[in-house]
Amino acid sequence: MSPLSITRTLPPDATAAALRADVTEGLSRTPKHLPPKWFYDARGSELFDEITTLPEYYPTRAEREILRATADRIAAATGARTLIELGSGSSDKTRHLLRALTGLQTYLPVDVSESALRAAGEALLTEHPGLTVHALVADFQRGLTLPKTPGPRLLAFLGGTIGNLLPAERAAFLDSVHALLSPGDALLLGTDLVKDEATLVAAYDDARGVTAAFNKNVLEVINRELGGDFDPADFDHVARWNAEREWIEMRLRARDDLTVKIPGVDLAVPFAAGEELRTEVSAKFREDGVRSELAASGLKLTEWWTDSAGRFALSLALRL
């Protein structure tokens, strides 16, 4: 069996420093905001896994349906010898690609969690003993350098995660993808699609309240890591469709006037009754918009696949 190698490109204190910076910047301004990456501690990851099984939350099932139907076509179109996956997590959906990419030599998962990379990498090596797995502990938004690997290369960014980036961040991300790839390499991109408001809001505000618990978990992260005294019961979960920007916003709304102390960043944060803290943006897309954004970064959309209900899309784009 090929060995699993893990390269850490983040300094040991990078995650803690980034949390301090994001909390200081996001909670010191009006309107208040936090980036969604802070949902995903161990408890948050468990809650998100539960969300993906809820009847209201269609994206995971829809993307998996597309991958099952198109993995062979993706393999034929790319001939990839290296698969790079950003935000790989458990690498669960990637298994469809790994089975189809018969000429694959190297799998390069990228994630901020070393424990998740190790667990997924060891499992994959058991399933694919001839595969080389070179995991990177890295934040793809903070500059990424890839090791030399055989081409052609296929970079996968799945789950609709690109929707969590604001438009300027998306443009910068796609520019960075172009810089990472060589001509003839490809990007496989998962995007959730614009649809009726009721379906979208329900996916982020389920009847069982799992998404509400997931949203409030960011407060628990701040309490644990920075000594905050947030009481999640002081906030209501809010999911709202912004029709103008075509994105879902998740927010936490203060029930009463209150002040939260966060000693780890020397902050006392006042909230007025009804004031909202934005914790996530999840943009939804249309094919023409995806094509345009890719083209602006030197990536040509060549394939567009949706699930049977037309809710979610996978697109394949070549680096020009």
Side-chain angles (χ1 to χ4, degrees):
M1 183 183 295
S2 301
L4 167 66
S5 63
I6 298 179
T7 300
R8 172 175 281 277
T9 66
L10 291 174
D13 63 344
T15 300
L19 176 62
R20 291 193 298 269
D22 285 343
V23 168
T24 300
E25 194 275 333
L27 298 187
S28 298
R29 61 180 298 177
T30 302
K32 297 178 175 67
H33 69 91
L34 289 169
K37 64 184 177 181
W38 301 117
F39 289 137
Y40 297 97
D41 65 347
R43 177 57 179 155
S45 296
E46 289 174 359
L47 287 167
F48 184 73
D49 286 345
E50 187 175 351
I51 287 169
T52 64
T53 69
L54 296 171
E56 298 97 330
Y57 194 81
Y58 58 85
T60 302
R61 291 188 299 275
E63 186 174 50
R64 190 172 281 116
E65 175 193 324
I66 304 168
L67 280 169
R68 284 196 298 263
T70 63
D72 289 341
R73 282 182 275 175
I74 293 167
T78 63
R81 297 168 67 199
T82 295
L83 174 62
I84 304 156
E85 184 177 9
L86 303 184
S88 55
S90 66
S91 301
D92 180 50
K93 287 177 288 189
T94 320
R95 285 168 166 79
H96 298 291
L97 292 173
L98 292 175
R99 285 192 291 267
L101 291 165
T102 56
L104 193 69
Q105 297 180 21
T106 303
Y107 175 50
L108 208 162
V110 180
D111 203 280
V112 296
S113 170
E114 182 171 347
S115 60
L117 287 168
R118 188 174 299 280
E122 289 172 351
L124 288 173
L125 284 174
T126 300
E127 299 167 22
H128 303 274
L131 186 66
T132 296
V133 179
H134 186 163
L136 286 184
V137 183
D139 183 343
F140 64 81
Q141 283 191 268
R142 299 182 62 187
L144 186 62
T145 301
L146 299 177
K148 289 185 178 180
T149 55
R153 296 182 296 174
L154 172 62
L155 188 151
F157 192 39
L158 303 175
T161 306
I162 194 169
N164 295 145
L165 306 179
L166 297 173
E169 294 171 331
R170 288 203 303 270
F173 166 74
L174 292 173
D175 285 347
S176 72
V177 168
H178 182 272
L180 287 172
L181 300 180
S182 300
D185 291 345
L187 167 67
L188 182 67
L189 181 65
T191 49
D192 197 7
L193 302 179
V194 174
K195 57 187 68 67
D196 66 281
E197 181 175 351
T199 298
L200 287 165
V201 171
Y204 294 82
D205 193 11
D206 62 277
R208 286 175 47 195
V210 182
T211 312
F214 174 71
N215 194 9
K216 292 184 181 186
N217 187 63
V218 73
L219 306 181
E220 302 284 14
V221 171
I222 294 172
N223 287 349
R224 183 183 65 247
E225 300 297 331
L226 300 175
D229 63 357
F230 275 106
D231 183 347
D234 289 337
F235 293 84
D236 290 319
H237 166 69
V238 177
R240 178 182 302 139
W241 171 241
N242 185 322
E244 180 182 357
R245 296 183 180 271
E246 294 192 327
W247 66 40
I248 284 281
E249 297 178 4
M250 287 213 313
R251 297 170 175 265
L252 292 169
R253 179 187 294 148
R255 293 180 175 177
D256 298 293
D257 293 344
L258 59 100
T259 298
V260 176
K261 296 178 182 177
I262 311 176
V265 287
D266 195 25
L267 280 183
V269 184
F271 286 85
E275 184 177 357
E276 294 180 346
L277 162 63
R278 192 182 74 192
T279 53
E280 181 178 80
V281 161
S282 184
K284 309 306 171 186
F285 296 88
R286 303 175 188 271
E287 181 179 355
D288 287 349
V290 173
R291 186 184 304 275
S292 296
E293 291 192 35
L294 290 169
S297 294
L299 300 162
K300 182 180 180 181
L301 191 151
T302 58
E303 300 285 353
W304 177 266
W305 299 291
T306 68
D307 65 298
S308 55
R311 300 165 298 180
F312 196 94
L314 279 184
S315 55
L316 190 67
L318 293 180
R319 197 277 205 192
L320 301 178

